[in-house]
Amino acid sequence: MELPGLAFAVWMFICFYASVDGYPSGKIREACTSMIPCHGSSPQLSPEHTITVNGTEFKPGDNIEVHLSGPDFEGFFIQARDAEHLDSPAVGSFMLVDRRLSQLLTCGRTKNSAVSHTSKAKKKYIKVYWIAPGDAPKRVQFLATVVKKYKIFWVKIPGPIVSQPNALSPTPPLHATSEAVSTSHPVSYLSKPFNASGCGNMKFCIRNPSNCDPESASCFFLSFQQEKSSVFIEMSGPSEGYLAFALSHDQWMGGDDAYLCVNEDHRVHVSPAYLKGRSRPVLDSENALEDVSWRLVDGVLQCSFRRSIRLPAYKGRFNLDASYYIFLADGEASEGGLIHKHRRQPLITNGIYNVTGLPHDIGGSRSPRLIKAHGALMFVAWITTVSIGVLVARFFKPVWSHSFLFGKEMWFQVHRMLMLTTVTLTSISFVLPFIYRGGWSQQAGFHPYLGCTVMALTIFQALMAGFRPSRHAPRRQLFNWFHWSTGTTARILAVVTMFLGMDLPALDLPDPWDTYTMIGFVAWHVGIDVLLEIHSYCLVRKVEVIEDDRVQILQSLTSAEAEGRLFKQIVLTIYICGNVVFLIAFLAAISQI
């Protein structure tokens, strides 16, 4: 398509004299209207690349598959415009297939109304989907600008024209349009995202994170609103595979009434299903759902439907006027709508709720309480009690050697109390995942194996301490070596095990926050340890350089011991405070999931 002479002259003037650069990153919003790259040269006349689509007709809400192909090219810019007015703004919105090669742009007031490249990497083929808006013109044409090299490009390559099946009929309303799909009821396309208005007042809502806005791209949202003898249900969340919720009599998967919204080739199919154990959901061949609508934009999947409160004719469907635990899950789906196991632990309500009863606006947890308790107890044991206990035994023997508690030296009693607390907390925490899982977990990687090793070393350490030889016994040196090596090995493995456990689906602490915080704790402990080692070394050197006078030496030792005692007590206080801060951070993160 040739440019008018005046427009082309203006464009050349801007490009040469305004020092406008090219757009290797594809952020070319400035070219939304003209679709002309400012590369300082004239566009080519005979295009080498073609635009193809998978259909010639559309209805509002339909997805049209758009392909751009040809010899190697570096950049591209695709829009859809009114075929009768090609200078008008872009029409409709696009949906990506490969985010590595393409990105969405907003031209004018229409979000995601254009697609461009992400880098200068050579490519031969681009595939995207165009979503027809509710107010689409009767005929729409696709246009593309393609950059082969910096100085070689084509502008507004004309593509196919697609049209509405009945050009004489009035434009369908904005809210939804019917389309023929393989369900027993018509399906509609949602024109805008859900909102949280009425949550807790008129409808029962579940949101994750708590109080998040369902219009945001990171919010999982599920709502129930009773309307006479039926319930209208909305579900949305960041997923390009599927979203599902289930009603359950307990907090375990199995024997549940489930509902799935599955993205199948960029069309969302809504189906009821039945969960048998932890196997794949069994889809119900009889569809009891009405007023089905969906939307899939920017990686956010949304669907809504209506079902009767009671469905006595449908086996496996629960009555909605009873109380249940509610599950909300997401995951990937492959071609043909085959769903895969959810990528992380489903969101589960903390109690049972009647969705037709008093409206609530609640959150939920993606981590079961037993797993939360397991993580919390392990953090208390291996971040707080064992770390302080080791520090006391290593550096406070000379400081507290003349202080006694219950007939024993204070440092030993404090050390023993902290270590017994560690053994107790570790033992309690160790059994919780087995109670929750009902056995061994096959999906937890190395975490349970290392956890069992840490538990064995902990018990062995406690038993070995119970048979500790007297201070001057011949085997005391051997005991000291085994006691130190076993404890050090257990601590190192415990930290590694916690690193692995923080990202498991059952706990899944925020990433990368959890990793950085754990690294910070390790650095904090090592730093304090090194500081006290340096201080002890300096204290010894200070005494050694004193001249060989017995009285002077004794006075200096007394002075050095007092100085060392004060410094170590200050460092210990700071260390305990720091450990408490790390512990609070971890416990706060666990309470939020």
Side-chain angles (χ1 to χ4, degrees):
M1 185 172 293
E2 295 185 4
L3 294 170
L6 179 59
F8 181 72
V10 172
W11 165 75
M12 290 293 289
F13 177 81
I14 293 174
C15 287
F16 280 106
Y17 293 98
S19 299
V20 180
D21 293 330
Y23 307 96
S25 67
K27 303 291 187 180
I28 49 180
R29 294 186 181 89
E30 294 84 351
C32 277
T33 302
S34 66
M35 298 186 69
I36 303 174
C38 288
H39 290 184
S41 60
S42 304
Q44 306 297 307
L45 298 179
S46 300
E48 299 177 353
H49 304 79
T50 57
I51 308 170
T52 57
V53 295
N54 67 337
T56 58
E57 291 188 352
F58 72 91
K59 291 178 291 184
D62 278 356
N63 292 350
I64 300 293
E65 196 173 294
V66 182
H67 303 261
L68 174 63
S69 59
D72 286 349
F73 56 96
E74 295 180 351
F76 66 92
F77 191 37
I78 302 174
Q79 286 187 9
R81 295 190 179 184
D82 186 342
E84 308 298 331
H85 306 281
L86 290 178
D87 291 331
S88 61
V91 173
S93 59
F94 286 91
M95 188 163 50
L96 302 180
V97 173
D98 191 342
R99 296 180 180 273
R100 296 171 300 176
L101 300 178
S102 55
Q103 62 183 326
L104 297 171
L105 298 178
T106 297
C107 285
R109 297 182 180 180
T110 307
K111 188 176 182 181
N112 303 331
S113 54
V115 185
S116 73
H117 53 280
T118 57
S119 70
K120 293 175 61 178
K122 293 186 181 300
K123 49 196 80 70
K124 292 179 180 289
Y125 173 80
I126 294 295
K127 175 183 174 182
V128 295
Y129 285 89
W130 178 73
I131 304 172
D135 57 350
K138 298 174 184 178
R139 301 170 73 242
V140 173
Q141 184 171 19
F142 295 96
L143 304 174
T145 291
V146 177
V147 178
K148 185 175 182 179
K149 294 182 180 179
Y150 187 80
K151 297 287 187 179
I152 303 175
F153 56 88
W154 295 264
V155 174
K156 288 186 178 178
I157 299 173
I161 295 177
V162 294
S163 58
Q164 299 195 48
N166 186 358
L168 297 177
S169 64
T171 303
L174 269 172
H175 56 277
T177 46
S178 297
E179 57 182 348
V181 294
S182 59
T183 59
S184 58
H185 300 284
V187 177
S188 302
Y189 180 80
L190 297 163
S191 63
K192 58 182 180 180
F194 303 135
N195 60 71
S197 61
C199 284
N201 298 318
M202 299 176 60
K203 57 186 180 182
F204 184 102
C205 297
I206 300 172
R207 293 190 268 177
N208 179 248
S210 297
N211 300 317
C212 65
D213 184 355
E215 296 189 24
S216 73
S218 60
C219 181
F220 288 91
F221 178 75
L222 178 64
S223 73
F224 303 84
Q225 185 170 6
Q226 183 176 359
E227 298 175 355
K228 296 183 179 179
S229 61
S230 65
V231 174
F232 186 68
I233 300 169
E234 298 174 325
M235 178 166 56
S236 69
S239 175
E240 295 187 354
Y242 72 89
L243 288 175
F245 81 88
L247 306 174
S248 178
H249 295 291
D250 52 38
Q251 290 185 302
W252 294 91
M253 210 176 143
D256 307 326
D257 182 11
Y259 300 85
L260 290 80
C261 299
V262 184
N263 174 17
E264 184 177 345
D265 196 21
H266 298 278
R267 287 180 181 270
V268 178
H269 295 276
V270 183
S271 305
Y274 185 73
L275 300 181
K276 291 185 176 181
R278 298 195 176 189
S279 58
R280 196 182 304 276
V282 179
L283 298 182
D284 197 335
S285 58
E286 298 182 289
N287 199 340
L289 310 181
E290 300 177 345
D291 298 339
V292 176
S293 300
W294 63 272
R295 186 172 185 260
L296 183 60
V297 177
D298 293 342
V300 177
L301 191 157
Q302 298 172 313
C303 62
S304 63
F305 57 89
R306 185 188 312 279
R307 64 147 282 188
S308 297
I309 294 177
R310 290 178 174 269
L311 293 170
Y314 292 87
K315 185 180 179 181
R317 304 279 75 83
F318 293 0
N319 295 331
L320 297 184
D321 53 0
S323 296
Y324 308 98
Y325 289 98
I326 303 172
F327 289 57
L328 180 59
D330 66 290
E332 297 179 354
S334 55
E335 291 187 15
L338 181 66
I339 69 171
H340 302 277
K341 184 179 178 181
H342 39 77
R343 296 168 296 179
R344 53 179 175 168
Q345 193 80 4
L347 179 75
I348 307 174
T349 57
N350 293 321
I352 57 174
Y353 292 93
N354 182 349
V355 298
T356 60
L358 187 67
H360 292 275
D361 186 6
I362 63 172
S365 174
R366 292 189 180 274
S367 179
R369 290 178 179 175
L370 287 176
I371 300 300
K372 282 186 175 183
H374 168 74
L377 291 176
M378 285 299 187
F379 280 127
V380 172
W382 294 95
I383 283 184
T384 307
T385 57
V386 77
S387 300
I388 297 172
V390 169
L391 220 64
V392 167
R394 175 71 181 87
F395 297 104
F396 282 80
K397 285 182 183 179
V399 175
W400 291 343
S401 59
H402 303 297
S403 300
F404 293 87
L405 183 65
F406 303 117
K408 294 282 186 178
E409 293 174 331
M410 180 181 288
W411 74 266
F412 176 75
Q413 294 288 48
V414 172
H415 172 74
R416 182 164 63 178
M417 177 188 67
L418 290 172
M419 291 309 177
L420 287 175
T421 303
T422 299
V423 173
T424 303
L425 294 176
T426 303
S427 301
I428 296 172
S429 177
F430 178 77
V431 301
L432 296 182
F434 292 98
I435 295 174
Y436 171 72
R437 293 290 182 187
W440 186 265
S441 174
Q442 300 294 336
Q443 288 82 35
F446 289 105
H447 178 78
Y449 297 97
L450 291 176
C452 289
T453 304
V454 171
M455 185 73 251
L457 290 174
T458 303
I459 297 298
F460 178 70
Q461 182 81 328
L463 292 174
M464 186 166 50
F467 293 96
R468 181 181 69 258
S470 61
R471 182 171 299 179
H472 302 291
R475 296 183 306 231
R476 182 57 182 253
Q477 192 67 28
L478 185 63
F479 164 81
N480 288 342
W481 189 90
F482 270 108
H483 189 62
W484 174 87
S485 59
T486 303
T488 302
T489 303
R491 290 174 63 207
I492 293 172
L493 289 179
V495 170
V496 173
T497 307
M498 287 190 288
F499 264 112
L500 296 175
M502 291 187 298
D503 291 327
L504 288 177
L507 193 59
D508 196 21
L509 292 178
D511 191 59
W513 172 92
D514 55 351
T515 303
Y516 292 151
T517 306
M518 199 67 189
I519 291 173
F521 163 72
V522 173
W524 168 252
H525 177 78
V526 172
I528 293 294
D529 207 311
V530 170
L531 178 64
L532 289 174
E533 287 285 0
I534 293 174
H535 174 261
S536 298
Y537 174 78
C538 292
L539 214 60
V540 172
R541 293 292 298 163
K542 183 176 181 180
V543 173
E544 286 179 350
V545 297
I546 298 174
E547 58 185 7
D548 191 15
D549 180 78
R550 183 174 181 80
V551 176
Q552 184 66 32
I553 290 176
L554 290 174
Q555 290 175 348
S556 300
L557 283 172
T558 303
S559 175
E561 285 179 3
E563 180 185 335
R565 184 182 300 113
L566 178 61
F567 179 81
K568 288 180 179 179
Q569 288 175 345
I570 293 174
V571 171
L572 180 63
T573 303
I574 295 173
Y575 180 71
I576 292 174
C577 292
N579 281 30
V580 170
V581 170
F582 281 107
L583 180 62
I584 291 174
F586 279 115
L587 296 182
I590 290 176
S591 67
Q592 294 299 314
I593 57 178

PDB file of all heavy atoms in Angstrom, residues 5 8 21 50 60 70 74 126 133 184 194 207 332 372 390 397 406 418 431 560 579:
ATOM      1  N   GLY A   5       1.952  11.224  -0.994  1.00  0.00           N
ATOM      2  CA  GLY A   5       3.224  11.928  -1.121  1.00  0.00           C
ATOM      3  C   GLY A   5       3.505  12.872   0.019  1.00  0.00           C
ATOM      4  O   GLY A   5       4.616  12.913   0.562  1.00  0.00           O
ATOM      5  N   PHE A   8       4.341  11.016   3.253  1.00  0.00           N
ATOM      6  CA  PHE A   8       5.657  10.411   3.188  1.00  0.00           C
ATOM      7  C   PHE A   8       6.758  11.450   3.364  1.00  0.00           C
ATOM      8  O   PHE A   8       7.759  11.221   4.045  1.00  0.00           O
ATOM      9  CB  PHE A   8       5.816   9.688   1.850  1.00  0.00           C
ATOM     10  CG  PHE A   8       7.149   9.010   1.699  1.00  0.00           C
ATOM     11  CD1 PHE A   8       7.427   7.864   2.421  1.00  0.00           C
ATOM     12  CD2 PHE A   8       8.128   9.527   0.862  1.00  0.00           C
ATOM     13  CE1 PHE A   8       8.642   7.226   2.296  1.00  0.00           C
ATOM     14  CE2 PHE A   8       9.341   8.903   0.740  1.00  0.00           C
ATOM     15  CZ  PHE A   8       9.600   7.735   1.461  1.00  0.00           C
ATOM     16  N   ASP A  21      15.308   7.311  16.808  1.00  0.00           N
ATOM     17  CA  ASP A  21      15.981   6.035  16.662  1.00  0.00           C
ATOM     18  C   ASP A  21      14.998   4.941  16.270  1.00  0.00           C
ATOM     19  O   ASP A  21      13.788   5.112  16.312  1.00  0.00           O
ATOM     20  CB  ASP A  21      16.650   5.634  17.998  1.00  0.00           C
ATOM     21  CG  ASP A  21      17.799   6.579  18.322  1.00  0.00           C
ATOM     22  OD1 ASP A  21      18.407   7.087  17.365  1.00  0.00           O
ATOM     23  OD2 ASP A  21      18.047   6.791  19.507  1.00  0.00           O
ATOM     24  N   THR A  50       3.713 -12.450   4.027  1.00  0.00           N
ATOM     25  CA  THR A  50       2.266 -12.554   3.889  1.00  0.00           C
ATOM     26  C   THR A  50       1.590 -12.716   5.245  1.00  0.00           C
ATOM     27  O   THR A  50       2.172 -13.244   6.194  1.00  0.00           O
ATOM     28  CB  THR A  50       1.888 -13.763   3.005  1.00  0.00           C
ATOM     29  OG1 THR A  50       2.454 -14.952   3.586  1.00  0.00           O
ATOM     30  CG2 THR A  50       2.399 -13.589   1.590  1.00  0.00           C
ATOM     31  N   PRO A  60     -18.427 -10.950  17.389  1.00  0.00           N
ATOM     32  CA  PRO A  60     -17.785 -10.375  18.583  1.00  0.00           C
ATOM     33  C   PRO A  60     -17.488 -11.445  19.625  1.00  0.00           C
ATOM     34  O   PRO A  60     -18.343 -12.267  19.947  1.00  0.00           O
ATOM     35  CB  PRO A  60     -18.812  -9.361  19.072  1.00  0.00           C
ATOM     36  CG  PRO A  60     -19.532  -8.942  17.829  1.00  0.00           C
ATOM     37  CD  PRO A  60     -19.626 -10.181  16.995  1.00  0.00           C
ATOM     38  N   GLY A  70       7.330 -15.455   6.173  1.00  0.00           N
ATOM     39  CA  GLY A  70       8.149 -15.031   5.043  1.00  0.00           C
ATOM     40  C   GLY A  70       9.615 -15.219   5.346  1.00  0.00           C
ATOM     41  O   GLY A  70       9.994 -15.827   6.358  1.00  0.00           O
ATOM     42  N   GLU A  74      13.586  -9.144  11.220  1.00  0.00           N
ATOM     43  CA  GLU A  74      13.991  -8.773  12.573  1.00  0.00           C
ATOM     44  C   GLU A  74      12.846  -8.180  13.386  1.00  0.00           C
ATOM     45  O   GLU A  74      12.728  -8.440  14.574  1.00  0.00           O
ATOM     46  CB  GLU A  74      15.154  -7.772  12.521  1.00  0.00           C
ATOM     47  CG  GLU A  74      16.430  -8.342  11.926  1.00  0.00           C
ATOM     48  CD  GLU A  74      17.554  -7.308  11.892  1.00  0.00           C
ATOM     49  OE1 GLU A  74      17.278  -6.126  12.175  1.00  0.00           O
ATOM     50  OE2 GLU A  74      18.696  -7.680  11.566  1.00  0.00           O
ATOM     51  N   ILE A 126       5.334 -15.802  12.789  1.00  0.00           N
ATOM     52  CA  ILE A 126       4.705 -15.290  14.000  1.00  0.00           C
ATOM     53  C   ILE A 126       3.237 -15.709  13.985  1.00  0.00           C
ATOM     54  O   ILE A 126       2.564 -15.608  12.952  1.00  0.00           O
ATOM     55  CB  ILE A 126       4.810 -13.747  14.081  1.00  0.00           C
ATOM     56  CG1 ILE A 126       6.261 -13.319  14.242  1.00  0.00           C
ATOM     57  CG2 ILE A 126       3.960 -13.209  15.231  1.00  0.00           C
ATOM     58  CD1 ILE A 126       6.908 -13.760  15.544  1.00  0.00           C
ATOM     59  N   PRO A 133     -13.844  -7.385  19.128  1.00  0.00           N
ATOM     60  CA  PRO A 133     -14.552  -6.669  20.196  1.00  0.00           C
ATOM     61  C   PRO A 133     -16.060  -6.679  19.969  1.00  0.00           C
ATOM     62  O   PRO A 133     -16.550  -7.019  18.883  1.00  0.00           O
ATOM     63  CB  PRO A 133     -13.984  -5.253  20.081  1.00  0.00           C
ATOM     64  CG  PRO A 133     -13.680  -5.107  18.624  1.00  0.00           C
ATOM     65  CD  PRO A 133     -13.223  -6.472  18.159  1.00  0.00           C
ATOM     66  N   SER A 184     -24.529 -27.941  25.970  1.00  0.00           N
ATOM     67  CA  SER A 184     -25.963 -27.956  25.845  1.00  0.00           C
ATOM     68  C   SER A 184     -26.571 -26.565  25.983  1.00  0.00           C
ATOM     69  O   SER A 184     -27.765 -26.404  25.824  1.00  0.00           O
ATOM     70  CB  SER A 184     -26.554 -28.888  26.908  1.00  0.00           C
ATOM     71  OG  SER A 184     -26.151 -28.456  28.199  1.00  0.00           O
ATOM     72  N   PHE A 194     -14.037  -9.273  36.035  1.00  0.00           N
ATOM     73  CA  PHE A 194     -14.919  -9.227  37.190  1.00  0.00           C
ATOM     74  C   PHE A 194     -14.460  -8.132  38.153  1.00  0.00           C
ATOM     75  O   PHE A 194     -13.336  -7.636  38.068  1.00  0.00           O
ATOM     76  CB  PHE A 194     -14.930 -10.578  37.917  1.00  0.00           C
ATOM     77  CG  PHE A 194     -15.332 -11.736  37.042  1.00  0.00           C
ATOM     78  CD1 PHE A 194     -14.623 -12.927  37.080  1.00  0.00           C
ATOM     79  CD2 PHE A 194     -16.408 -11.633  36.196  1.00  0.00           C
ATOM     80  CE1 PHE A 194     -14.978 -14.000  36.281  1.00  0.00           C
ATOM     81  CE2 PHE A 194     -16.793 -12.699  35.385  1.00  0.00           C
ATOM     82  CZ  PHE A 194     -16.072 -13.876  35.428  1.00  0.00           C
ATOM     83  N   ARG A 207     -10.751 -14.659  47.800  1.00  0.00           N
ATOM     84  CA  ARG A 207      -9.711 -13.949  47.053  1.00  0.00           C
ATOM     85  C   ARG A 207      -8.335 -14.352  47.567  1.00  0.00           C
ATOM     86  O   ARG A 207      -8.135 -14.522  48.763  1.00  0.00           O
ATOM     87  CB  ARG A 207      -9.891 -12.433  47.182  1.00  0.00           C
ATOM     88  CG  ARG A 207     -11.142 -11.911  46.523  1.00  0.00           C
ATOM     89  CD  ARG A 207     -11.151 -10.397  46.456  1.00  0.00           C
ATOM     90  NE  ARG A 207     -11.804  -9.765  47.595  1.00  0.00           N
ATOM     91  CZ  ARG A 207     -11.872  -8.456  47.772  1.00  0.00           C
ATOM     92  NH1 ARG A 207     -11.301  -7.644  46.905  1.00  0.00           N
ATOM     93  NH2 ARG A 207     -12.492  -7.944  48.826  1.00  0.00           N
ATOM     94  N   GLU A 332      -1.732 -26.289  34.122  1.00  0.00           N
ATOM     95  CA  GLU A 332      -1.525 -26.244  32.683  1.00  0.00           C
ATOM     96  C   GLU A 332      -2.460 -27.218  31.983  1.00  0.00           C
ATOM     97  O   GLU A 332      -2.875 -28.228  32.553  1.00  0.00           O
ATOM     98  CB  GLU A 332      -0.068 -26.585  32.343  1.00  0.00           C
ATOM     99  CG  GLU A 332       0.932 -25.577  32.901  1.00  0.00           C
ATOM    100  CD  GLU A 332       2.364 -25.946  32.569  1.00  0.00           C
ATOM    101  OE1 GLU A 332       2.559 -27.047  32.014  1.00  0.00           O
ATOM    102  OE2 GLU A 332       3.264 -25.146  32.853  1.00  0.00           O
ATOM    103  N   LYS A 372       2.278 -25.988  57.653  1.00  0.00           N
ATOM    104  CA  LYS A 372       2.704 -24.705  58.241  1.00  0.00           C
ATOM    105  C   LYS A 372       3.367 -24.930  59.594  1.00  0.00           C
ATOM    106  O   LYS A 372       4.419 -24.337  59.888  1.00  0.00           O
ATOM    107  CB  LYS A 372       1.489 -23.788  58.420  1.00  0.00           C
ATOM    108  CG  LYS A 372       1.001 -23.112  57.165  1.00  0.00           C
ATOM    109  CD  LYS A 372      -0.109 -22.138  57.527  1.00  0.00           C
ATOM    110  CE  LYS A 372      -0.553 -21.332  56.325  1.00  0.00           C
ATOM    111  NZ  LYS A 372      -1.571 -20.340  56.670  1.00  0.00           N
ATOM    112  N   VAL A 390      24.731 -23.480  70.168  1.00  0.00           N
ATOM    113  CA  VAL A 390      26.096 -23.713  69.685  1.00  0.00           C
ATOM    114  C   VAL A 390      27.003 -22.551  70.045  1.00  0.00           C
ATOM    115  O   VAL A 390      28.157 -22.735  70.465  1.00  0.00           O
ATOM    116  CB  VAL A 390      26.081 -23.939  68.160  1.00  0.00           C
ATOM    117  CG1 VAL A 390      27.498 -23.911  67.601  1.00  0.00           C
ATOM    118  CG2 VAL A 390      25.416 -25.262  67.827  1.00  0.00           C
ATOM    119  N   LYS A 397      32.068 -20.662  77.566  1.00  0.00           N
ATOM    120  CA  LYS A 397      32.615 -21.478  78.656  1.00  0.00           C
ATOM    121  C   LYS A 397      33.447 -20.644  79.618  1.00  0.00           C
ATOM    122  O   LYS A 397      33.233 -20.694  80.838  1.00  0.00           O
ATOM    123  CB  LYS A 397      33.463 -22.621  78.081  1.00  0.00           C
ATOM    124  CG  LYS A 397      32.667 -23.752  77.471  1.00  0.00           C
ATOM    125  CD  LYS A 397      33.607 -24.854  76.971  1.00  0.00           C
ATOM    126  CE  LYS A 397      32.829 -25.962  76.288  1.00  0.00           C
ATOM    127  NZ  LYS A 397      33.735 -27.020  75.775  1.00  0.00           N
ATOM    128  N   PHE A 406      21.330 -24.608  88.826  1.00  0.00           N
ATOM    129  CA  PHE A 406      20.889 -25.945  89.226  1.00  0.00           C
ATOM    130  C   PHE A 406      22.071 -26.898  89.399  1.00  0.00           C
ATOM    131  O   PHE A 406      22.051 -28.063  88.970  1.00  0.00           O
ATOM    132  CB  PHE A 406      19.901 -26.534  88.207  1.00  0.00           C
ATOM    133  CG  PHE A 406      18.681 -25.684  87.984  1.00  0.00           C
ATOM    134  CD1 PHE A 406      18.428 -25.135  86.729  1.00  0.00           C
ATOM    135  CD2 PHE A 406      17.807 -25.430  89.028  1.00  0.00           C
ATOM    136  CE1 PHE A 406      17.315 -24.350  86.529  1.00  0.00           C
ATOM    137  CE2 PHE A 406      16.686 -24.643  88.827  1.00  0.00           C
ATOM    138  CZ  PHE A 406      16.434 -24.101  87.576  1.00  0.00           C
ATOM    139  N   LEU A 418      18.751 -25.568  75.466  1.00  0.00           N
ATOM    140  CA  LEU A 418      18.467 -25.195  74.084  1.00  0.00           C
ATOM    141  C   LEU A 418      18.527 -26.400  73.153  1.00  0.00           C
ATOM    142  O   LEU A 418      17.716 -26.535  72.224  1.00  0.00           O
ATOM    143  CB  LEU A 418      19.448 -24.117  73.626  1.00  0.00           C
ATOM    144  CG  LEU A 418      19.272 -22.730  74.279  1.00  0.00           C
ATOM    145  CD1 LEU A 418      20.418 -21.809  73.895  1.00  0.00           C
ATOM    146  CD2 LEU A 418      17.940 -22.111  73.869  1.00  0.00           C
ATOM    147  N   VAL A 431       7.122 -35.585  62.461  1.00  0.00           N
ATOM    148  CA  VAL A 431       5.995 -36.493  62.235  1.00  0.00           C
ATOM    149  C   VAL A 431       4.818 -35.804  61.535  1.00  0.00           C
ATOM    150  O   VAL A 431       3.952 -36.491  60.977  1.00  0.00           O
ATOM    151  CB  VAL A 431       5.512 -37.112  63.562  1.00  0.00           C
ATOM    152  CG1 VAL A 431       6.629 -37.885  64.229  1.00  0.00           C
ATOM    153  CG2 VAL A 431       4.957 -36.054  64.505  1.00  0.00           C
ATOM    154  N   ALA A 560      41.305  -8.584  81.041  1.00  0.00           N
ATOM    155  CA  ALA A 560      40.934  -9.105  79.727  1.00  0.00           C
ATOM    156  C   ALA A 560      39.662  -9.935  79.801  1.00  0.00           C
ATOM    157  O   ALA A 560      38.795  -9.855  78.930  1.00  0.00           O
ATOM    158  CB  ALA A 560      42.072  -9.940  79.163  1.00  0.00           C
ATOM    159  N   ASN A 579      18.418 -13.123  65.318  1.00  0.00           N
ATOM    160  CA  ASN A 579      17.757 -14.404  65.041  1.00  0.00           C
ATOM    161  C   ASN A 579      16.251 -14.304  65.208  1.00  0.00           C
ATOM    162  O   ASN A 579      15.490 -14.890  64.437  1.00  0.00           O
ATOM    163  CB  ASN A 579      18.306 -15.487  65.971  1.00  0.00           C
ATOM    164  CG  ASN A 579      19.645 -16.015  65.502  1.00  0.00           C
ATOM    165  OD1 ASN A 579      20.410 -15.296  64.877  1.00  0.00           O
ATOM    166  ND2 ASN A 579      19.935 -17.264  65.805  1.00  0.00           N
TER     167      ASN A 579
END
